[in-house]
Amino acid sequence: MARRTRTRLWDPSGRRFGIPTHPRKKVPPHLRTLRQLAAEGLRPGDQGPQAQVLWCSRVPGPPRVRAAYLYDVRLAMPKRTPGRRTRTAAPKGRTCPECLTQPIDHRLGVCPDCAEEAAA
Ligand SMILES: [Zn+2]
């Protein structure tokens, strides 16, 4: 029984399902689900689903086949994180536009040194 189930969900050429299909224990090592990519700090990038993994749900009730798309980790891109955007944008906004080294005083629009120079 179990053996037949594994075969039923195995279609590496995609002939039966239209997309290469692997049972959970036979997923090639370079393929990841969205959740696995995210756990590695990656996102699919421009690629569409490369394959799918099918498995029988263990939830009580009538047997249901669950599916998840798989993406090629070699085509994946680093995840865009708000943290990285903030890190590159923040220092620019806080640096004095005159000397480009001192932190800005927001009331003056420049750093205190440059404000003093401008006033002198
Ligand atoms: Zn300055």
Side-chain angles (χ1 to χ4, degrees), residues 47-114:
Q47 69 180 306
Q50 304 293 310
Q52 65 179 349
V53 57
L54 295 181
W55 70 95
C56 286
S57 170
R58 292 239 180 122
V59 177
R64 277 183 51 209
V65 175
R66 312 278 316 256
Y69 284 135
L70 294 168
Y71 300 88
D72 191 328
V73 74
R74 297 166 299 190
L75 302 174
M77 316 256 285
K79 203 169 17 173
R80 277 188 287 248
T81 60
R84 193 168 51 173
R85 224 176 302 156
T86 310
R87 274 201 301 279
T88 51
K92 245 184 217 164
R94 286 201 222 111
T95 306
C96 168
E98 290 294 328
C99 61
L100 303 176
T101 57
Q102 300 290 314
I104 199 169
D105 183 325
H106 286 283
R107 287 168 306 173
L108 305 170
V110 290
C111 72
D113 287 353
C114 292

